[in-house]
Amino acid sequence: MEETCELLHPIDRWLKTERMPHIWCPGCGVGPTIHAWVRALERVGIEKEKVVYVSGIGCCGRGSGYLDVDGFHTTHGRAIPFAVGLKLANPELCVTVISGDGDLFAIGGNHFIHACRRNNDLLVICVNNFIYGMTGGQLAPTTPHGGYSTTSPYGNIEHPFNTPHLADAAGAVYVARWTSIHVRELELSIAEALRMKGFRYIEVLSPCPVNFGRRNNFPEPDAMAKWFAQSSVIMHGADTSKVAIDMGKPIILGNFVKREGKPTYYELLRKLEEMRRKR
Amino acid sequence: MPAGSKLLPSQKVKISRGKVHIIEERCKGCGLCTDFCPKQVLHRSERVNEKGYHLVEVIEEPEKGKFCVACGFCQIICPEYAIWVEKREEYV
Ligand SMILES: Cc1ncc(C[n+]2csc(CCOP(=O)(O)OP(=O)(O)O)c2C)c(N)n1
Ligand code: SF4
């Protein structure tokens, strides 16, 4: 017998292998992002039974159905409020939201800023592919200025969100940005975030060759990946107000913000309860 | 290496070798592994899988220094979870 039959891909322990191959297009960055998260969970040593994966709607949202952990594929934009409730009801769980830029910053934008502000104990990973992938490539709040999409055929006249700056300004305790090509750095960053408490945000720039790349001069499945590899500059601790993405300019990556000592919403809630009981 | 320092015979450099496994039905031929393999041992082949995607094959030329060193980058960058590397250690 071929020896390969007996051996498994190391991630298979975490996958619903009967659902493979997955639906994501050739060269899509969702797969490597989830892989980095799984390796970070192993690195930190979090038990599989305690891991919860919450996603919203979109290509990226499909991830929660592929992993062999507790997964919730929630309604569009509502991954964060769902995860907030889950974590408050069972604080033992390690809750991660992995969702798309449209899901987290368009329809779900308000939930994002308020969870940052309240410091809900969540890790949020945004797979930012600059576009609405699943619905066919419409303009997202993250589409770069001048970028082409099905709803901006003459170039985007809007200015995109600089999501690390948004998270920083709203009070997230950990803010980082990597790409789905910087998989080793991403794994370490996720591991660092998993060891912390409070609202932690990691933006992962991700190729969407089919819906963004094809319309923006990246015609091959690996072209956006090469763009990331060639134009990224790593600047840990960079001022988040200066890391906005502009096509043609360097992309700044790194672990930007780490705030110590901000109590989480849950901790304050427990304090409040105690105070009330004593009265 | 700093000038004047020498590698003593007892300090042999350990180089790991790897065996690449490809799960063919998962591959979608995106080319990321072939682009980013530092030793360039992965190549697009003419063979296709049942979905019609061109598969990746391993071509090693150890005499030219082209062999898998088990860095495992293809394994973690593959969007399909279709490639993984078994580490085998060797002394050079
Ligand atoms: C309430 C509601 N409005 C609109 C949609 C249509 N819709 C599905 S996915 C999506 C956007 C997905 O974009 P993003 O979150 O960036 O994920 P991607 O597909 O790019 O990973 C939209 C608008 C929906 N499913 N539900
Ligand atoms: S449309 Fe884009 S985001 Fe969706 S699976 Fe394809 S490459 Fe990935």
Side-chain angles (χ1 to χ4, degrees):
Chain A
M1 207 166 87
E2 256 281 307
E3 65 178 320
T4 43
C5 301
E6 295 160 29
L7 298 164
L8 281 177
H9 191 299
I11 199 188
D12 279 5
R13 196 172 81 77
W14 292 80
L15 288 181
K16 291 182 178 145
T17 48
E18 70 280 9
R19 298 195 181 172
M20 294 291 125
H22 53 57
I23 56 144
W24 300 312
C25 308
C28 177
V30 177
T33 305
I34 294 174
H35 197 174
W37 174 66
V38 166
R39 291 194 313 279
L41 289 169
E42 283 182 341
R43 179 179 280 273
V44 179
I46 299 173
E47 289 164 52
K48 212 172 152 190
E49 289 66 35
K50 293 224 166 119
V51 176
V52 185
Y53 179 164
V54 185
S55 68
I57 299 296
C59 296
C60 183
R62 298 292 293 261
S64 53
Y66 287 131
L67 287 209
D68 189 27
V69 295
D70 286 338
F72 296 93
H73 192 179
T74 67
T75 49
H76 197 24
R78 312 301 173 224
I80 289 179
F82 188 96
V84 164
L86 200 63
K87 179 74 186 180
L88 283 177
N90 189 350
E92 294 288 292
L93 299 175
C94 166
V95 184
T96 307
V97 172
I98 308 182
S99 214
D101 48 299
D103 189 75
L104 289 169
F105 292 101
I107 189 167
N110 253 308
H111 299 301
F112 183 88
I113 53 174
H114 293 291
C116 285
R117 179 176 66 78
R118 294 183 183 121
N119 202 21
N120 287 110
D121 198 8
L122 294 180
L123 168 61
V124 175
I125 299 175
C126 171
V127 178
N128 180 1
N129 52 16
F130 315 110
I131 203 93
Y132 290 176
M134 176 152 278
T135 44
Q138 294 83 359
L139 188 88
T142 45
T143 307
H145 188 71
Y148 295 93
S149 69
T150 51
T151 48
S152 61
Y154 306 108
N156 181 17
I157 57 168
E158 299 178 12
H159 300 279
F161 269 138
N162 169 358
T163 73
H165 187 42
L166 185 69
D168 183 11
V173 295
Y174 184 84
V175 182
R177 176 198 276 155
W178 293 101
T179 80
S180 64
I181 304 306
H182 294 77
V183 274
R184 293 201 202 279
E185 295 90 337
L186 175 62
E187 175 190 338
L188 294 176
S189 173
I190 298 176
E192 188 178 19
L194 282 170
R195 291 193 180 100
M196 290 173 62
K197 271 185 183 177
F199 194 95
R200 295 142 285 159
Y201 173 63
I202 301 174
E203 178 182 48
V204 184
L205 305 180
S206 155
C208 174
V210 170
N211 276 321
F212 185 82
R214 198 156 52 102
R215 301 190 173 92
N216 290 278
N217 263 331
F218 302 108
E220 299 295 328
D222 53 356
M224 285 186 76
K226 286 180 180 162
W227 167 43
F228 292 154
Q230 284 157 7
S231 34
S232 299
V233 183
I234 298 174
M235 279 172 70
H236 292 301
D239 177 352
T240 55
S241 68
K242 301 204 169 74
V243 303
I245 290 167
D246 210 343
M247 277 160 88
K249 293 209 179 131
I251 300 172
I252 298 167
L253 309 177
N255 302 327
F256 301 139
V257 177
K258 199 170 177 181
R259 281 197 182 94
E260 314 258 341
K262 181 176 175 180
T264 67
Y265 184 83
Y266 182 71
E267 287 164 355
L268 293 175
L269 193 67
R270 292 306 300 266
K271 252 193 195 165
L272 185 79
E273 268 173 20
E274 265 167 42
M275 196 176 77
R276 195 180 52 97
R277 227 176 274 141
K278 278 183 196 151
R279 276 204 185 156
Chain B
M1 206 183 285
S5 73
K6 255 191 197 164
L7 208 60
L8 299 171
S10 59
Q11 295 177 301
K12 283 192 178 157
V13 182
K14 206 155 109 184
I15 296 183
S16 27
R17 299 282 295 257
K19 180 171 172 12
V20 180
H21 297 268
I22 296 163
I23 306 170
E24 299 199 337
E25 63 274 21
R26 291 188 190 170
C27 178
K28 292 185 188 149
C30 66
L32 287 187
C33 57
T34 57
D35 289 346
F36 288 98
C37 171
K39 286 293 197 178
Q40 294 175 356
V41 298
L42 299 169
H43 299 267
R44 183 189 144 105
S45 80
E46 285 310 309
R47 272 193 327 119
V48 291
N49 64 10
E50 58 181 0
K51 293 204 173 182
Y53 290 113
H54 279 271
L55 290 165
V56 166
E57 60 185 354
V58 185
I59 305 178
E60 294 187 306
E61 293 169 284
E63 65 286 354
K64 290 188 195 161
K66 275 194 179 181
F67 53 83
C68 173
V69 291
C71 73
F73 199 64
C74 54
Q75 174 178 322
I76 58 178
I77 207 168
C78 173
E80 307 298 327
Y81 316 124
I83 187 164
W84 62 282
V85 183
E86 195 186 338
K87 197 168 178 175
R88 293 172 178 178
E89 246 153 52
E90 256 187 38
Y91 293 84
V92 176

